[in-house]
Amino acid sequence: MDHVENAMDHVSPWATAPKLPSTHYVDNRIYTDPVIFEEEREKILAATWRLVCHESELPEPGDYRAKEIAGVPVVILRSEDRSIMAFFNVCPHRGARLVRDERGNAKKGLQCLYHLWTFALDGKCTSITRSKGYDGCSLKKDDVGLRSVRTEIFCGMVFVCLKDDVPPLEQFLGGMADHMKTHLGQEELEVFHYHRAIINTNWKLFVDNNSELYHEFLHVLNRRTAVAHKSYHERNWLLYQNSHNIIQQGVIHYDSYGLGERSEGALPGMQPNGMVVMLLFPDVMLNIRATVMRIDTMTPLAPGKTLVEWRGVGLKSDTPDVRAMRIQHHNEVWGPAGRNLPEDIAAVETQWETMVQGGSRYSLFAREEGLKPQDDANLRAFYQEWGRCLGRAPNDPFRHGNVDTDVSHSIKEITNV
Amino acid sequence: MSDVASQLFEREAIRELIARVGRLLDTKDFAAVIASFAEPGSYVLRAYSPEIGKEMIWMSVKRAELLRLLKESAEHVHDLADRTHQITVDQISLEKGEALARSTFSVFRTDMKGQSDLFAVGHYEDRLVKNGDTWLIDSRTVRLHTRMFTVPTPLPL
């Protein structure tokens, strides 16, 4: 018995809430609980602007991309007048999926495979098979167009929002819009790399991984080229409303790892060997390593299953030689055969394994370094915004009664910028 | 040796080389993998993305860079699973001391619990050269059909 009591004494500090401010830790059930996951789908993933693709992926009228947003199938397409629109990827007749592949061209319009109803690129129904059968109930083509989805394009990035009562995109982006204009809005960009994977972890754990620079210690490449250098630590996070944030540009010492300089062909707004990371709530990371940009987006499938899409981006005006350089720089670090991605995924999947078994109850976001790179302030802001959206306290998500979703701590950090 | 016998002999040597490189990758005998490549040698990993409609290069390195990647792999956090290559050489064409070979491969991954899954499927397109009596890979292009990896890896396939 003594032995058991002693064991419990040893364990108890890990089973009770950390003695930290409520903003400085989260209860790991926010990652594993299926009820919370469903709430996230409704109150965050379906209720915020979501990046679905870059406009360079839809170069011609009729080009489309199919996606799922919070479980809802959506088709994004370029119409005859070259504007980009989005619709539920669903036939309004009986719910069959309209577009079954991920990408294609529907210049002649969309046709449902089931009963052959057709739709124009603006979503209007153009024909109903044997339409006379509907004369008795006066159903007309005009009554059965595709359900449109709010779509806005900012700096070539195509965003959609399933909810009609959400403020416009630029208002949502707030102060981040200027940073995006600097890096994405000066020259036309083009996606040259795409891959994806379903990773066995909660989507927020991969957001954390993308967001926190403290995790650079995971990567031997980053240890030598970034955190080992004093200048790396001499810049700040800039935190914005809605939990968007950006780390000020730093210089990466590629030579410290025997990799080539990135002094030629820097993307707009970037200095030689510069690096910038921007995070858009809830799931987007824009990471620029001087000559090449990586864009991450996520589609949470279940509490422990997340579809991640990775894009590599250069300039549309790239010569073949310059494009080859950008691809090389991309692949040195990123991509499925890059040095860093296997390490990131190994880390977040092991987190999930311990959390889902109840072996890890709390996660700490308690680093305070005056908004320097390895301060956790941006993560705290993320979870405060998460808590506001769900009406749950991240550190105590199943508390009964009124939930304190005070964001004053984060706002104070924002005003400190 | 007759021409026919000589050709059969060379083809068998090439088949053995391609199969051996697969086994060497599985056993992580990276020095022997590198020794199977000629100088300057090249290794290119390609895949086509239907999502963006583009041919992609996921890795393109010379022999020396491949050696470096393999040497440094131990210091990275890496997949602890075992891999097993299964390779079928589909076609070999010989011409004046050089050869082109096309193979189909699958790689199985066996995790630490002993569960095996298909990890990757694709083709090798090898250009081979003869160094004395020994065939070496001058360039290997890996054309991946698999694009979603359960565990990404910088190790060559």
Side-chain angles (χ1 to χ4, degrees):
Chain A
M1 189 63 186
D2 285 349
H3 173 76
V4 172
E5 282 174 358
N6 288 341
M8 290 304 290
D9 286 347
H10 185 67
V11 167
S12 60
W14 299 101
T16 56
K19 294 179 177 62
L20 291 167
S22 61
T23 50
H24 285 43
Y25 66 96
V26 301
D27 183 322
N28 289 339
R29 290 176 295 176
I30 69 169
Y31 302 113
T32 58
D33 187 82
V35 172
I36 286 180
F37 179 78
E38 289 305 320
E39 278 186 20
E40 288 174 332
R41 278 190 152 186
E42 178 193 343
K43 296 178 179 176
I44 296 177
L45 303 169
T48 50
W49 286 99
R50 306 291 305 286
L51 176 61
V52 287
C53 65
H54 186 264
E55 64 178 354
S56 68
E57 296 170 55
L58 303 165
E60 302 298 330
D63 283 348
Y64 62 80
R65 292 282 272 120
K67 284 275 297 178
E68 288 206 356
I69 305 293
V72 177
V74 172
V75 59
I76 306 103
L77 53 82
R78 193 179 284 279
S79 61
E80 292 289 355
D81 66 2
R82 300 197 62 78
S83 62
I84 291 176
M85 309 172 84
F87 302 96
F88 277 24
N89 185 14
V90 173
C91 180
H93 175 215
R94 295 268 288 278
R97 194 180 290 261
L98 268 180
V99 165
R100 292 187 298 156
D101 47 3
E102 297 232 0
R103 171 186 156 273
N105 186 278
K107 197 168 184 179
K108 293 178 181 173
L110 302 164
Q111 183 173 52
C112 178
L113 82 167
Y114 202 178
H115 301 92
L116 310 184
W117 288 26
T118 59
F119 303 88
L121 297 181
D122 62 3
K124 288 180 182 159
C125 178
T126 48
S127 74
I128 293 176
T129 310
R130 293 195 66 243
S131 60
K132 280 187 186 303
Y134 292 109
D135 286 352
C137 63
S138 303
L139 183 87
K140 301 278 189 287
K141 287 186 291 187
D142 291 348
D143 302 328
V144 288
L146 301 182
R147 160 79 159 85
S148 66
V149 177
R150 290 177 71 194
T151 309
E152 290 198 38
I153 297 152
F154 189 79
C155 296
M157 313 286 271
V158 182
F159 291 81
V160 302
C161 183
L162 295 181
K163 291 277 168 68
D164 294 327
D165 57 353
V166 170
L169 175 64
E170 203 156 344
Q171 189 178 327
F172 172 68
L173 294 173
M176 281 300 291
D178 286 341
H179 297 290
M180 291 176 70
K181 285 177 190 168
T182 298
H183 296 291
L184 291 85
Q186 296 189 52
E187 290 196 55
E188 246 183 296
L189 304 175
E190 186 172 74
V191 174
F192 63 75
H193 171 95
Y194 176 94
H195 87 280
R196 61 184 170 177
I198 293 174
I199 59 175
N200 295 315
T201 198
N202 183 262
W203 68 279
K204 298 186 297 298
L205 294 171
F206 199 68
V207 169
D208 295 348
N209 178 274
N210 273 342
S211 305
E212 57 126 307
L213 296 188
Y214 189 40
H215 98 280
E216 298 213 62
F217 285 108
L218 167 68
H219 306 296
V220 59
L221 185 144
N222 297 32
R223 290 199 294 270
R224 293 189 196 159
T225 62
V227 291
H229 298 269
K230 191 175 172 220
S231 63
Y232 167 90
H233 301 276
E234 294 171 344
R235 56 203 172 118
N236 283 347
W237 282 105
L238 306 178
L239 309 183
Y240 292 98
Q241 299 289 350
N242 298 321
S243 184
H244 310 308
N245 55 69
I246 179 172
I247 183 74
Q248 290 173 320
Q249 193 164 166
V251 170
I252 304 302
H253 298 259
Y254 293 99
D255 53 339
S256 299
Y257 200 71
L259 298 175
E261 293 282 306
R262 299 187 178 196
S263 50
E264 301 290 328
L267 291 172
M270 298 303 295
Q271 56 181 296
N273 299 311
M275 183 171 178
V276 156
V277 181
M278 291 177 266
L279 297 138
L280 306 180
F281 186 85
D283 65 322
V284 178
M285 180 185 76
L286 308 169
N287 188 337
I288 310 176
R289 282 181 175 267
T291 52
V292 64
M293 182 189 307
R294 164 181 155 187
I295 302 174
D296 291 13
T297 53
M298 281 170 240
T299 303
L301 303 173
K305 291 246 180 258
T306 304
L307 172 68
V308 186
E309 295 174 273
W310 291 272
R311 287 170 168 82
V313 180
L315 296 181
K316 192 174 180 184
S317 61
D318 284 344
T319 63
D321 285 349
V322 171
R323 179 60 58 87
M325 174 200 71
R326 296 197 201 286
I327 291 171
Q328 182 196 331
H329 288 172
H330 176 274
N331 294 343
E332 281 175 354
V333 185
W334 300 328
R339 288 173 170 88
N340 282 10
L341 191 59
E343 298 177 325
D344 287 322
I345 292 180
V348 298
E349 289 195 340
T350 63
Q351 283 181 290
W352 170 259
E353 287 164 11
T354 69
M355 289 176 183
V356 75
Q357 298 297 336
S360 166
R361 181 64 193 279
Y362 296 100
S363 290
L364 310 185
F365 298 105
R367 297 184 63 79
E368 293 185 359
E369 294 191 287
L371 293 173
K372 293 288 184 247
Q374 297 191 342
D375 192 323
D376 284 336
N378 61 330
L379 291 159
R380 288 192 286 274
F382 175 90
Y383 284 106
Q384 290 298 292
E385 179 63 11
W386 180 93
R388 189 190 65 76
C389 291
L390 261 61
R392 291 180 185 267
N395 69 312
D396 192 3
F398 297 103
R399 187 193 310 163
H400 295 293
N402 289 335
V403 173
D404 172 19
T405 56
D406 180 18
V407 295
S408 59
H409 182 84
S410 301
I411 297 299
K412 194 167 67 183
E413 288 177 325
I414 291 166
T415 54
N416 280 344
V417 171
Chain B
M1 195 183 296
S2 70
D3 280 356
V4 172
S6 171
Q7 285 229 353
L8 287 172
F9 181 81
E10 302 292 13
R11 284 170 191 274
E12 191 53 29
I14 289 168
R15 268 183 230 284
E16 281 188 8
L17 169 66
I18 291 170
R20 188 168 67 247
V21 171
R23 283 198 307 278
L24 294 170
L25 286 166
D26 294 341
T27 56
K28 297 187 172 62
D29 187 347
F30 297 140
V33 170
I34 292 299
S36 305
F37 277 77
E39 286 278 10
S42 74
Y43 177 90
V44 180
L45 191 62
R46 303 184 76 104
Y48 176 77
S49 165
E51 296 86 0
I52 59 170
K54 285 191 169 78
E55 188 74 28
M56 300 178 292
I57 294 174
W58 285 358
M59 183 188 289
S60 178
V61 290
K62 296 291 185 196
R63 182 183 189 269
E65 293 164 271
L66 189 60
L67 172 62
R68 181 193 160 168
L69 269 177
L70 293 171
K71 274 186 175 172
E72 72 180 37
S73 64
E75 66 182 4
H76 287 275
V77 176
H78 56 276
D79 187 16
L80 299 175
D82 288 327
R83 299 196 304 183
T84 306
H85 282 70
Q86 188 169 40
I87 304 168
T88 305
V89 181
D90 306 319
Q91 195 176 5
I92 299 171
S93 56
L94 293 161
E95 193 169 341
K96 293 177 184 169
E98 294 185 2
L100 299 175
R102 186 181 191 277
S103 311
T104 303
F105 71 86
S106 47
V107 180
F108 294 87
R109 179 177 177 274
T110 303
D111 68 19
M112 293 172 69
K113 295 170 189 159
Q115 180 172 314
S116 297
D117 292 296
L118 182 60
F119 180 66
V121 176
H123 293 102
Y124 295 137
E125 293 169 0
D126 293 327
R127 183 176 175 278
L128 303 108
V129 293
K130 212 163 180 192
N131 181 18
D133 290 336
T134 308
W135 285 99
L136 295 172
I137 298 171
D138 182 55
S139 66
R140 166 164 284 185
T141 297
V142 182
R143 292 196 180 273
L144 278 171
H145 292 192
T146 305
R147 303 188 312 280
M148 287 180 75
F149 288 96
T150 48
V151 181
T153 175
L155 293 180
L157 287 167

